[in-house]
Amino acid sequence: MSENVINEIRSVPSNVSMIKQQANSRIPSLLVVSNGMGTGFDTETWQRYQINHFERLHEAEIVFVDCPHYLHDYEYEHIAMTIRHFIDAMG
């Protein structure tokens, strides 16, 4: 694991705190979440972080994808389709 990845992992709690303070719960949000592999967290812990944040949002959708953290390297077509469906549902 590179030093950059380790630093990214260490910054997760403070970043989550910052998001909680600044997020507008009325903005439609889509979060595509990996299985956490590569984050330093097990799947349940990683996904729980995402769920805890999104539970307070009104127009939010979480999509779980069973692949490592950099899921855009693995599931880019699925992500694109998911975004299109989310945008279509908002319009």
Side-chain angles (χ1 to χ4, degrees), residues 1-21 38-41 46 49-50 69-70:
M1 201 178 303
S2 73
E3 186 174 335
N4 288 337
V5 172
I6 292 169
N7 289 335
E8 181 182 344
I9 292 167
R10 287 181 180 150
S11 70
V12 168
S14 64
N15 289 342
V16 169
S17 177
M18 186 184 330
I19 290 168
K20 283 182 179 180
Q21 293 172 10
T39 65
F41 297 98
W46 178 251
Y49 279 129
Q50 317 312 314
H69 180 57
Y70 294 103

Side-chain angles (χ1 to χ4, degrees), residues 10-66:
R10 287 181 180 150
S11 70
V12 168
S14 64
N15 289 342
V16 169
S17 177
M18 186 184 330
I19 290 168
K20 283 182 179 180
Q21 293 172 10
Q22 297 178 8
N24 182 336
S25 63
R26 297 285 180 204
I27 298 172
S29 302
L30 171 67
L31 183 62
V32 183
V33 180
S34 72
N35 61 17
M37 187 177 186
T39 65
F41 297 98
D42 62 79
T43 298
E44 183 179 345
T45 302
W46 178 251
Q47 292 180 350
R48 176 58 41 203
Y49 279 129
Q50 317 312 314
I51 292 167
N52 286 344
H53 172 66
F54 269 62
E55 282 179 339
R56 64 189 184 81
L57 302 178
H58 296 284
E59 292 189 47
E61 182 178 335
I62 301 176
V63 176
F64 296 100
V65 181
D66 189 20

Side-chain angles (χ1 to χ4, degrees), residues 70-83:
Y70 294 103
L71 49 96
H72 57 276
D73 289 337
Y74 303 92
E75 293 289 341
Y76 53 88
E77 290 178 357
H78 177 71
I79 293 167
M81 181 184 68
T82 300
I83 292 169

